[in-house]
Amino acid sequence: MLNDTHRHKGLRKKLVDELRRKGIANEEILEAINRVPRHLFMDSGFIDHAYVDKAFPIAAGQTISQPYTVAFQTSLLEVKRGDKILEIGTGSGYQAAVLLELGARVYTIERQKELFMSVQKFLPKIGYHPQFFFGDGYLGKENYGPFDKILITAAAPYIPDELLKQLKTNGIFVAPVGGQNAQKMLKIIKKGETDFETTECGDFVFVPMLKGTDGQ
Ligand code: SAH
């Protein structure tokens, strides 16, 4: 049942306080997190874990990112109302929902057929309407670009050139880049066609960004 009870709202408020204590200062982002019913993104048996600040397994061996990580990546993106944002790795759809709460237009790509089918059905039911794509995020979505912001929510072994091409000038690209066990969060600002300014923003661990697609 798609139910958001008083108890869930109370737990969510506590989670938001925890994120604020951990250094997330942007009140708009905290308010967005306060509005998204994260427990509905998980199987019903795991609802008690929904408002703990941890990543959690979802279908197809994938994860819903840790709330702190979602808040942190969202902060780096400097989201403005109306921003056109490309997300690689739809997963549960939670990160996409947070971006939509901030007034962004969200284009999101997932390579796992099973996840893609279920998230595409679920998110609109609770009022979130990104554009969903099944495909390989390494290729981006050229026909829908260029984008104001691009976000990768899986561990990228390198920064795909194709994605940088689909970013507007002065656009922001955020991605965890590195090997399987640990990645550096990178924020890249596109100053010009071949001019990029990169900042390293700490260590994170994501599931891998894989090539091609899976499932049918
Ligand atoms: N943003 C998600 C995080 C999901 S975990 C959330 O909020 O829940 C990362 C997701 O990236 C997984 O679902 C995985 O299947 C997907 N993924 C990995 N490589 C990909 C690729 N090349 N293209 C698109 N999605 C990819």
Side-chain angles (χ1 to χ4, degrees):
M1 269 217 302
L2 302 180
N3 218 339
D4 192 23
T5 65
H6 196 65
R7 179 168 159 265
H8 294 128
K9 291 189 173 104
L11 289 171
R12 203 146 66 233
K13 183 78 178 29
K14 281 195 186 150
L15 171 66
V16 165
D17 290 340
E18 184 177 345
L19 296 178
R20 197 182 279 112
R21 276 199 307 278
K22 288 180 172 172
I24 303 297
N26 184 319
E27 286 298 325
E28 260 191 279
I29 293 174
L30 292 170
E31 190 42 50
I33 285 175
N34 201 32
R35 282 195 298 264
V36 181
R38 190 170 190 262
H39 62 283
L40 299 180
F41 292 70
M42 307 167 96
D43 291 339
S44 52
F46 301 117
I47 279 181
D48 284 346
H49 299 265
Y51 297 109
V52 178
D53 187 25
K54 287 205 170 120
F56 205 77
I58 52 172
Q62 299 303 317
T63 54
I64 177 169
S65 299
Q66 180 179 350
Y68 176 80
T69 304
V70 171
F72 188 76
Q73 286 196 292
T74 306
S75 312
L76 294 179
L77 282 176
E78 300 177 23
V79 181
K80 294 188 190 65
R81 292 209 148 258
D83 268 357
K84 207 166 140 180
I85 303 185
L86 178 67
E87 179 195 27
I88 314 297
T90 315
S92 68
Y94 179 70
Q95 169 76 73
V98 171
L99 296 174
L100 288 163
E101 285 284 358
L102 291 166
R105 291 173 290 158
V106 180
Y107 299 72
T108 184
I109 311 178
E110 175 56 55
R111 66 175 293 284
Q112 280 263 359
K113 194 60 174 280
E114 181 192 340
L115 279 178
F116 165 77
M117 298 296 278
S118 71
V119 74
Q120 190 189 33
K121 228 192 211 170
F122 161 71
L123 268 194
K125 273 194 204 156
I126 58 166
Y128 295 113
H129 301 277
Q131 292 231 26
F132 296 99
F133 300 97
F134 173 64
D136 180 356
Y138 279 93
L139 307 175
K141 269 288 153 210
E142 199 183 3
N143 296 344
Y144 293 81
F147 300 94
D148 297 292
K149 315 279 161 74
I150 298 179
L151 169 67
I152 303 183
T153 68
Y158 59 88
I159 296 155
D161 269 346
E162 190 49 44
L163 295 182
L164 291 178
K165 274 192 209 145
Q166 295 176 24
L167 188 63
K168 289 185 191 171
T169 302
N170 294 319
I172 300 178
F173 178 95
V174 171
V177 178
Q180 288 258 354
N181 298 330
Q183 303 92 43
K184 298 271 179 219
M185 188 66 74
L186 301 187
K187 172 176 179 174
I188 302 173
I189 302 176
K190 183 170 183 172
K191 296 288 189 182
E193 225 21 73
T194 56
D195 182 12
F196 298 94
E197 184 184 286
T198 304
T199 318
E200 266 191 32
C201 308
D203 297 311
F204 289 83
V205 184
F206 283 75
V207 295
M209 181 177 180
L210 302 173
K211 298 237 160 146
T213 56
D214 232 22
Q216 52 211 277

